[in-house]
């Protein structure tokens, strides 16, 4: 099977592999279509400022997509999310700011627990692949609400306009220069790394980085998201050596002081989720991350 066919199959897999639905606040927790139960974290305020969630979007549409689509979210839902995050006191930050905060925590040798002790609720918004809807639908909202966000683009797909319509490099440059939507690497061809194929994947990442450097400013932290979220221990080491300071996955979770920079988790955003639902999902992920530490403090 050729690399292009493999890449297309990988893209199809990523479009259909994530499906979860959520209930609404104020109603009894019930098992919904995709088998998830909407519940609330206990005393979430105790963990505010101790973690940073990173959200993962993909594509946007003007029409309602129903519930549980892990790839396409309506622009109306995105706007609801942005409004709710701000109302809840979240400071939405760029990857550059995230890198700066993590650097500060890493060099604070007085910290011994799992928490980040930031004293502020932070949140990152990311998108994968590089769809035209990121430019046409999401970017205007990020500007309107003065919200920084990040796109992990499949660079060959941008250059060659492969598959579902992508933004162009000219549009990427416009977003990049605005400061509200910066572009990073999701590899050149979206072929997931496999055991024994790490050198091939590294070459792909080097090609992607060269394309970014050719088309956009160099004023960005070196960050990437793994195609389909798949990585190996060797790929992590190779990208560390290549200078990537943040490697993002699709594993559900939040950033704590124990999070490895080369395996940063993200929370998938799905259609049908309100801003309230997303905050609940964030708080549940944080509760899970700190469960063992909380239990130890109670004994």
């Amino acid at each position: 099977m050729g690399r292009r066919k493999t890449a297309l199959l990988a893209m199809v897999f990523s479009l259909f592999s994530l499906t979860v639905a959520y209930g609404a606040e104020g109603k009894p927790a019930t098992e919904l279509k995709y088998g998830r139960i909407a519940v609330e974290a206990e005393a979430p305020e105790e963990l505010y400022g101790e973690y940073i969630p990173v959200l993962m979007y993909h594509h946007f549409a003007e029409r309602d997509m129903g519930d549980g689509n892990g790839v396409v979210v309506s622009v109306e839902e995105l706007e609801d999310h942005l409004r709710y995050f701000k109302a809840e006191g979240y400071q939405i930050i760029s990857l550059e700011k995230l890198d700066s905060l993590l650097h500060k925590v890493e060099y604070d040798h007085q910290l011994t627990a799992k928490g980040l002790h930031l004293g502020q609720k932070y949140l990152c918004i990311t998108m994968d692949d590089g769809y035209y809807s990121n430019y046409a639908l999401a970017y205007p909202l990020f500007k309107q609400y003065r919200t920084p966000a990040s796109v992990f683009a499949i660079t060959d797909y941008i250059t060659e306009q492969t598959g579902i319509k992508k933004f162009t490099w000219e549009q990427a440059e416009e977003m990049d220069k605005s400061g509200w939507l910066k572009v990073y690497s999701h590899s050149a061809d979206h072929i997931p790394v496999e055991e024994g194929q790490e050198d091939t994947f590294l070459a792909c990442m080097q090609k992607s980085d060269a394309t970014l450097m050719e088309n956009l400013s160099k004023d960005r932290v070196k960050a990437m998201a793994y195609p389909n979220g798949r990585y190996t221990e060797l790929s992590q080491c190779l990208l560390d050596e290549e200078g990537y300071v943040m490697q993002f996955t699709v594993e559900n979770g939040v950033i704590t002081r124990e999070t490895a920079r080369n395996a940063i988790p993200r929370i998938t955003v799905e259609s049908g989720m309100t801003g309230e639902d997303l905050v609940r999902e964030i708080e549940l992920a944080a509760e899970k991350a700190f469960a063992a530490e909380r239990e130890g403090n109670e004994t």
Side-chain angles (χ1 to χ4, degrees):
M1 184 181 293
R3 286 178 62 81
R4 179 60 60 194
K5 188 174 181 180
T6 302
L8 290 175
L9 287 173
M11 180 172 66
V12 170
F13 176 80
S14 69
L15 292 177
F16 294 98
S17 61
L18 301 169
T19 49
V20 178
Y22 294 77
E25 177 70 19
K27 297 180 180 180
T30 56
E31 190 162 348
L32 300 177
K33 182 178 178 182
Y34 293 92
R36 292 293 295 272
I37 297 177
V39 296
E40 293 184 80
E42 294 184 12
E45 66 281 355
E46 293 179 2
L47 295 176
Y48 290 165
E50 301 298 332
Y51 61 89
I52 301 174
V54 181
L55 301 182
M56 178 177 64
Y57 294 82
H58 285 80
H59 193 13
F60 300 94
E62 293 182 306
R63 65 185 179 90
D64 183 359
M65 299 303 297
D67 290 347
N69 190 315
V71 176
V72 189
V73 171
S74 78
V75 68
E76 183 178 356
E77 288 169 335
L78 174 62
E79 184 166 18
D80 174 66
H81 300 165
L82 298 180
R83 286 175 173 170
Y84 196 79
F85 296 151
K86 288 185 178 290
E88 287 293 297
Y90 282 93
Q91 182 178 335
I92 303 174
I93 58 174
S94 66
L95 294 191
E96 284 69 31
K97 177 65 173 180
L98 175 61
D99 176 55
S100 174
L101 289 172
L102 294 181
H103 185 81
K104 179 180 179 181
V105 168
E106 289 160 357
Y107 282 86
D108 187 344
H109 300 298
Q110 294 183 351
L111 296 179
T112 56
K114 194 171 189 175
L116 301 176
H117 300 290
L118 297 172
Q120 162 77 46
K121 292 195 289 186
Y122 292 102
L123 181 152
C124 281
I125 292 176
T126 68
M127 290 151 280
D128 282 6
D129 301 338
Y131 297 107
Y132 176 69
S133 65
N134 298 165
Y135 172 77
L137 299 179
Y139 173 50
L141 286 178
F142 295 138
K143 288 194 296 182
Q144 178 183 341
Y145 288 92
R146 302 183 66 80
T147 299
S150 309
V151 180
F152 295 110
I154 310 167
T155 51
D156 280 1
Y157 287 14
I158 304 297
T159 302
E160 300 166 13
Q161 287 297 299
T162 303
I164 298 171
K165 186 176 181 181
K166 308 298 190 297
F167 53 70
T168 65
W169 285 118
E170 290 75 19
Q171 291 161 345
E173 184 179 27
E174 176 190 338
M175 295 188 292
D176 201 70
K177 285 183 176 179
S178 76
W180 297 118
L181 192 53
K182 282 185 170 289
V183 182
Y184 307 84
S185 178
H186 197 31
S187 83
D189 56 17
H190 203 254
I191 297 178
V193 62
E194 301 282 356
E195 292 278 357
Q197 298 295 319
E198 288 89 353
D199 287 341
T200 300
F201 181 73
L202 177 61
C204 171
M205 288 302 303
Q206 290 170 333
K207 179 184 180 185
S208 179
D209 184 54
T211 303
L212 287 172
M213 297 288 281
E214 178 183 348
N215 288 280
L216 302 174
S217 76
K218 300 176 178 59
D219 183 24
R220 78 193 65 253
V221 69
K222 197 165 184 178
M224 60 82 68
Y226 280 100
N228 290 359
R230 285 158 55 184
Y231 60 91
T232 69
E233 189 173 330
L234 180 55
S235 73
Q236 291 174 296
C237 292
L238 289 173
L239 292 188
D240 285 342
E241 294 171 359
E242 195 69 14
Y244 284 90
V245 297
M246 290 185 287
Q247 301 173 37
F248 291 84
T249 73
V250 298
E251 294 166 1
N252 188 71
V254 296
I255 299 173
T256 71
R257 204 170 63 84
E258 295 179 356
T259 301
R261 277 179 174 257
N262 57 16
I264 297 176
R266 293 186 290 172
I267 294 172
T268 301
V269 181
E270 299 179 343
S271 63
M273 296 179 75
T274 64
E276 195 169 27
D277 290 326
L278 265 178
V279 167
R280 180 184 302 161
E281 180 72 359
I282 288 167
E283 291 173 350
L284 286 169
E287 181 179 65
K288 182 178 180 180
F290 285 87
E293 186 172 279
R294 274 180 159 182
E295 290 173 4
N297 290 337
E298 291 173 1
T299 59

